[in-house]
Amino acid sequence: MQDFNSYEGNDKQENGKRENEEIQDMTMKMARAFQGKGEADILRAIYAEAERGRRAGTLTDKELDNFYAAVAPMLDGFKRKKLKQIVEKLKKM
C-alpha cells in the first residue's frame, strides 16, 4: 500500500469484483431453477420477484441495471429489448 487512496481504490475494486461474482452466481442459480421452463414463465417469475423487491424497497435502480448488464449479453436482440423494457417499467414503480 503506497497511500490511503491506493488502498481505498483496491477496496473498491474488490467490492466491485464481489458484486459481479454475486450477480453471476445469482444468474446461474436462476438459469438452473428455470431449466425446462418456458420463456413466458421465466419472465413472469423474474418480474414478480423484482416487483416484490421494488415494493419492499430492497431492489434499487442500480441493482436492476446490474441485472440487465449481467443477463443481456446472453440474449438475442429481441429478448434483450424486452428485458430492457421490463427493467425500465420496474424503475418507474
Side-chain angles (χ1 to χ4, degrees):
M1 176 172 79
Q2 294 174 343
D3 59 25
F4 182 74
N5 289 331
S6 298
Y7 175 77
E8 182 178 302
N10 289 337
D11 191 38
K12 287 180 183 178
Q13 288 174 352
E14 284 298 316
N15 287 338
K17 286 179 187 177
R18 272 193 301 265
E19 188 174 289
N20 285 338
E21 289 172 0
E22 289 172 7
I23 290 170
Q24 289 176 349
D25 288 344
M26 178 188 69
T27 303
M28 293 305 293
K29 286 178 186 175
M30 287 175 59
R32 284 191 296 273
F34 290 116
Q35 192 170 16
K37 305 268 188 206
E39 180 180 322
D41 293 331
I42 294 170
L43 286 175
R44 274 193 294 275
I46 290 170
Y47 188 80
E49 187 61 32
E51 187 177 29
R52 211 174 359 262
R54 290 297 279 188
R55 292 189 193 284
T58 58
L59 183 62
T60 66
D61 286 354
K62 182 179 180 195
E63 289 170 324
L64 285 169
D65 290 336
N66 289 342
F67 175 76
Y68 177 81
V71 175
M74 295 181 258
L75 304 174
D76 64 32
F78 176 76
K79 292 176 185 172
R80 190 176 308 122
K81 184 178 178 181
K82 183 71 173 171
L83 180 62
K84 184 68 170 174
Q85 290 171 343
I86 291 169
V87 167
E88 292 304 318
K89 186 175 179 181
L90 287 165
K91 284 182 177 182
K92 292 178 183 176
M93 294 183 88

